Structure formats: C-alpha cells, structure tokens
Amino acid sequence: MDLRAALTARRLIAIVRGGDPDAALRTVLTLAEEGIELIEVSLSGADALTVLARAREELGPGRPLGAGTVLTAADAHAAHRAGAGFAVTPGLGAGVDTALHLGMPVLAGVLTPTDVIAARARGASALKLFPAAEAGGAAYLKALRGPFPDAAFVPVGGVDVAAARAHLAAGATAVGVGSPLVGDAADGGDLGALRDRARAFRAAVEERP
C-alpha cells in the first residue's frame, strides 16, 4: 500500500490498544463501520496479534490495517504474519528496518530533527511525531516543518478533536488518535459512544481550509 497517500487522503489513523481482546476486535470493526479507513492495532494491547489476525480476517485483504508499537525485528515478523499491512513504531528501532524488508511501509516515530533525518534515510513513508502534546503541540510541528517542508508528519499523543484541527492547520499530513477516540471501548466500554467520537473526529479531519 501507499501509506503516505492513504494518510494524505484520510488524515486520521485510529490507534486501538485494549485489555480485552474481544472488545478490541469489536472496536476495530466499529471504527471501520464508521468510515475510519486507517486503523492501527498496538502490539502492547492484550493478545494483540490475535486481535490483528481476526481483524484482518473480518475486514478482508484490501483494508488498510497496521500494527503499532513495533519495536523489534521479532515484532515486525509477527505483525506481518498476523496480516498487518503497515507498521507503526514509537522510535527508530530494529522494527523499522525489518518491517521495510518485509515490504510493510512504516510510520516511524520521531521527535527531533535528527530523528527526522534518520527516519527518512531509512525509508520511512511518514513520520509519527511522538509524543506530540508533550513536545509542544502544533507550534512544535510548525517549527519542524521549517527545515522539512515536504515531510509527512503525523502527530500522535494527546490529540483530541481541537488538537487534531490545530495540527492539521499547522501542516500535519494526518493525526494519530488513541484514547481520545477509542476511550474505554477496547476494554469493553460503550460502542455507541465510540461511534459518536468517531463521527466527531471524522468531521474535524474532513474540514478543509
């Protein structure tokens, strides 16, 4: 898949991490039903590889579905076997190189200009600016875009609806959203509330200047 093109078109990636595998699967499927095209299942969730494999089976081969928190080469191999079509990392570990070797595009975690240079040199499709809120929010993203105007930045971490709008206005290609979108759904919480949040985030990212 062309991950950068998908991020540019959809402008939102949902991050599912939960303590209840069945609830996490229901969360993935509900997000897909609500039109969230890009979904990441974090490997730090309970039985995440099974969730990923079951989600792939339910969604079919053509749906963009990624594995998050890919830290090691073993993580990348396991995610690939489970059906992940792309990998998301919090930093520039061995998982980046192995995922790329396996043919999975990578949304690679960065924070500093040095990280950006290294991630692009390794072939990352896009750059996960993490943790976005703690790093200075949209103002920091705008500063990074000065030396890297053509980089595809995806802020992640503390991105609520208002922050999503601010980051996109500052030049983000997309935003990655975990708990402000998923809430407690992946732990067995209310799917109706999840649908409401999904619609609110979709409305926010679909706004164009």
Side-chain angles (χ1 to χ4, degrees):
M1 67 173 292
D2 186 335
L3 180 58
R4 179 167 181 157
L7 289 165
T8 300
R10 300 302 179 185
R11 308 222 296 174
L12 172 65
I13 180 168
I15 303 164
V16 177
R17 177 188 296 106
D20 179 334
D22 291 331
L25 177 63
R26 289 193 296 271
T27 298
V28 171
L29 300 180
T30 299
L31 290 168
E33 289 171 3
E34 289 298 326
I36 307 296
E37 293 287 335
L38 294 170
I39 301 172
E40 163 198 338
V41 177
S42 173
L43 298 187
S44 61
D47 204 9
L49 291 169
T50 298
V51 174
L52 185 58
R54 292 173 66 193
R56 171 56 71 208
E57 183 178 356
E58 292 282 346
L59 296 173
R63 188 72 176 234
L65 183 64
T69 323
V70 176
L71 301 176
T72 66
D75 288 340
H77 280 290
H80 186 256
R81 287 193 299 270
F86 63 93
V88 184
T89 73
L92 301 177
V96 173
D97 299 320
T98 303
L100 291 169
H101 177 73
L102 292 169
M104 290 192 292
V106 175
L107 173 57
V110 301
L111 183 59
T112 68
T114 300
D115 294 340
V116 173
I117 293 167
R120 298 178 86 189
R122 290 165 84 163
S125 296
L127 307 171
K128 171 183 171 178
L129 183 58
F130 175 80
E134 290 80 359
Y140 183 63
L141 167 65
K142 186 175 181 180
L144 272 184
R145 290 193 70 244
F148 306 109
D150 60 339
F153 287 106
V154 182
V156 177
V159 178
D160 58 14
V161 169
R165 288 192 178 99
H167 281 297
L168 292 167
T173 297
V175 291
V177 186
S179 58
L181 168 57
V182 173
D184 62 355
D187 296 311
D190 183 6
L191 294 181
L194 173 65
R195 290 184 187 277
D196 291 341
R197 292 190 296 270
R199 291 166 189 167
F201 270 99
R202 278 197 63 192
V205 303
E206 288 170 3
E207 293 173 2
R208 302 280 178 170

